[in-house]
Amino acid sequence: MFWVTLSELMDLKKIEIKELRNYIIFGSGQFVNLLAPLLVAPYVISVCGIEQWGKIGAATSAFIILEIFIDFGSKLLGVKEISSNLENKNRIAQYLNVTYAFRFIALLFIIICLILILIFIPNLDINLYLFGSFLLISQFFNPIWFYIGIENFKRINRLIIVSKAIYILLVYLFVKQKSDYIYVIFFLGIGNTLVYSYYYFQIFKEYKMSLLSISKKTLIDSVKREYPIIISNLSISVYTNFPILIVKYILGDFYAGIYKIGDMFLSVLRSYLTVFFNVSFPKFCSIYFNNKKEAVSYLKKMNGANILFLTFVVIVLYLVSLFFIDEFNLDKKLMTSFLFCSPILFVSLIVAVNIPFYQMLILKNKQKKIAQISFLGALVMFFGCYFLTEKFSLQGSIISLYIVEIFITVSIIISSLALFKE
């Protein structure tokens, strides 16, 4: 269904100029988002060491997993809800109230649990996690999902550029010795909090939000409706972020640092796919409710072009990495890093294949199916990554990524095929 002919790809020229501009604008903002860790990583590693970078990577992954509880499904269902009710300001205000009321409750609960864990579990880096909790606070305010829903990508760019500029500046100004690694996540949280909160209060004022006006019953009903997508997002976050925690546990901080370097390269491609998903999904929803056939055609053309482009990028990056390995006299640590990073790039191609099918499942409100697939994927990752890493070291963790993404993609495709005939 999604094998695209050349003539269909040529039809891409008919895509609206506004949409192409959205890709460029949002893509440039994501480029800055990706540039930040690539600028920070070499500096932090040179000052603090790769072992400390491994600790930062593991803590960051833990916070990303916890952020899912705060997001409350807004990155998917929230975008759909906002984009589908652009003319109904009251409906949007109601959804914002419910979403941020839940976010506030979730934030308080998570921070209390985090403090208790740090008190009663020994051998945890208390300062790193306490300072890093500002990343959770920033996620409460995060309004990017809302601006995706209303397709205000210029504002998203402003959010990203300013927050990441603050983050990079703080790191370069204040990380001066090995022990300063504990502030890296803190600076990211501070930069995000300052910028996100500014725009959050603008939205708060515009839509006359009132978090205290939400009844207990409304909040519970909303949780019941959206918990499958929360489970799904949590499972996805677990199988993309938990491997570094397994690597740290089995192999130690040094190899966790190397894994973090490889994961940064994969994150570049995942973030590109996030840009593609976030820009194309609202458009797909709006087309589908008017013309189902045209919406499916849109998915075919856009995703066909996306996969071709991504394939080209991955091959180029892979060949460049091999060139560096062959032509430069790298020390053992860098050699290990490059050898690890190269094969991980191709995982993104598997992820790209499932995007149109995933979008259809969300559109058709098949959140429970998505949650089931994602949960099983998380289990496959956990056991696969643990045993393969124990047996084959870092290469085992790469193998587990391929196994998980293939399982997820095949399951999503099988689950969604019938929906295209409805």
Side-chain angles (χ1 to χ4, degrees):
M1 178 172 293
F2 283 91
W3 306 115
V4 187
T5 65
L6 181 60
S7 61
E8 286 178 315
L9 287 177
M10 293 299 292
D11 286 341
L12 284 171
K13 63 184 180 181
K14 298 178 181 179
I15 296 175
E16 299 173 69
I17 295 176
K18 176 186 175 183
E19 187 178 359
L20 289 175
R21 187 169 65 246
N22 285 344
Y23 277 103
I24 295 171
I25 293 172
F26 194 29
S28 62
Q30 288 300 311
F31 174 76
V32 174
N33 221 9
L34 297 170
L35 190 62
L38 295 177
L39 289 174
V40 166
Y43 178 75
V44 173
I45 292 172
S46 67
V47 173
C48 304
I50 197 165
E51 290 84 0
Q52 314 310 321
W53 182 246
K55 293 178 182 178
I56 292 168
T60 301
S61 293
F63 284 122
I64 290 173
I65 292 171
L66 291 175
E67 284 176 357
I68 297 301
F69 295 101
I70 299 173
D71 283 338
F72 189 55
S74 56
K75 287 184 178 179
L76 292 175
L77 294 184
V79 171
K80 175 189 170 185
E81 189 72 20
I82 299 299
S83 63
S84 301
N85 292 280
L86 293 177
E87 305 301 323
N88 190 342
K89 195 169 183 176
N90 289 334
R91 180 71 187 95
I92 292 177
Q94 182 183 10
Y95 189 83
L96 287 169
N97 284 333
V98 173
T99 298
Y100 278 101
F102 180 85
R103 282 187 172 208
F104 182 73
I105 295 171
L107 175 63
L108 286 180
F109 179 77
I110 291 171
I111 288 180
I112 291 171
C113 290
L114 181 62
I115 292 172
L116 292 175
I117 289 171
L118 292 175
I119 291 173
F120 292 107
I121 297 183
N123 302 322
L124 282 179
D125 200 328
I126 294 178
N127 290 330
L128 177 64
Y129 284 89
L130 276 180
F131 285 121
S133 63
F134 270 83
L135 200 58
L136 299 176
I137 296 172
S138 72
Q139 197 61 22
F140 164 78
F141 292 110
N142 190 346
I144 290 178
W145 65 276
F146 170 79
Y147 289 123
I148 291 172
I150 64 174
E151 299 187 58
N152 190 337
F153 297 103
K154 287 184 179 179
R155 185 154 293 183
I156 293 174
N157 268 13
R158 254 178 259 138
L159 273 155
I160 292 172
I161 292 171
V162 177
S163 62
K164 292 305 178 288
I166 294 173
Y167 166 50
I168 295 169
L169 183 64
L170 289 174
V171 168
Y172 275 82
L173 285 176
F174 295 104
V175 176
K176 297 298 182 183
Q177 55 188 6
K178 187 174 182 178
S179 59
D180 290 339
Y181 76 94
I182 62 174
Y183 303 120
V184 174
I185 304 175
F186 170 67
F187 291 148
L188 177 60
I190 288 293
N192 288 350
T193 300
L194 289 173
V195 179
Y196 290 172
S197 61
Y198 172 78
Y199 285 99
Y200 164 78
F201 285 114
Q202 283 192 342
I203 297 170
F204 192 97
K205 183 178 179 181
E206 179 181 354
Y207 286 88
K208 297 180 175 61
M209 291 170 57
S210 176
L211 306 190
L212 297 178
S213 66
I214 302 301
S215 67
K216 182 179 178 181
K217 182 180 182 304
T218 300
L219 198 58
I220 292 174
D221 289 342
S222 184
V223 171
K224 288 180 179 178
R225 184 175 63 253
E226 299 193 14
Y227 85 89
I229 205 66
I230 297 175
I231 294 174
S232 172
N233 289 342
L234 177 62
S235 300
I236 292 171
S237 186
V238 165
Y239 74 68
T240 55
N241 291 288
F242 209 80
I244 189 174
L245 301 176
I246 295 175
V247 171
K248 174 182 168 66
Y249 176 75
I250 295 176
L251 303 177
D253 291 326
F254 171 75
Y255 285 102
I258 292 178
Y259 183 94
K260 180 62 177 177
I261 294 172
D263 188 58
M264 279 197 309
F265 285 93
L266 180 58
S267 295
V268 169
L269 299 175
R270 286 189 188 275
S271 294
Y272 160 74
L273 291 174
T274 300
V275 173
F276 177 81
F277 184 98
N278 287 337
V279 176
S280 63
F281 184 58
K283 180 72 173 180
F284 168 60
C285 291
S286 62
I287 295 175
Y288 188 88
F289 291 119
N290 294 318
N291 189 319
K292 295 180 182 179
K293 186 176 179 180
E294 183 181 340
V296 172
S297 176
Y298 168 83
L299 279 186
K300 290 172 63 177
K301 290 182 288 187
M302 292 303 300
N303 285 278
N306 177 52
I307 291 172
L308 286 177
F309 174 73
L310 187 63
T311 301
F312 172 77
V313 171
V314 168
I315 291 174
V316 169
L317 290 175
Y318 182 74
L319 293 176
V320 168
S321 67
L322 293 181
F323 170 78
F324 273 96
I325 291 172
D326 291 337
E327 296 296 324
F328 292 89
N329 186 24
L330 302 176
D331 62 34
K332 186 177 179 181
K333 287 185 178 182
L334 288 177
M335 178 71 77
T336 304
S337 300
F338 274 115
L339 287 173
F340 171 75
C341 295
S342 300
I344 204 173
L345 297 172
F346 291 92
V347 173
S348 60
L349 295 177
I350 304 172
V351 178
V353 170
N354 72 44
I355 285 180
F357 304 95
Y358 189 62
Q359 288 180 333
M360 180 59 78
L361 287 173
I362 296 172
L363 182 74
K364 293 289 187 175
N365 295 314
K366 300 297 181 180
Q367 288 91 339
K368 288 185 178 180
K369 177 60 68 175
I370 295 173
Q372 291 169 357
I373 294 171
S374 302
F375 180 74
L376 290 174
L379 290 179
V380 171
M381 183 286 304
F382 182 82
F383 290 106
C385 186
Y386 184 89
F387 291 111
L388 289 172
T389 301
E390 198 170 45
K391 187 171 181 61
F392 301 110
S393 189
L394 279 179
Q395 302 308 314
S397 64
I398 294 182
I399 295 170
S400 69
L401 286 177
Y402 277 93
I403 292 173
V404 170
E405 293 298 352
I406 290 172
F407 170 80
I408 295 288
T409 297
V410 171
S411 300
I412 286 176
I413 291 174
I414 292 174
S415 300
S416 65
L417 283 177
L419 300 177
F420 288 93
K421 300 175 183 179
E422 294 179 359

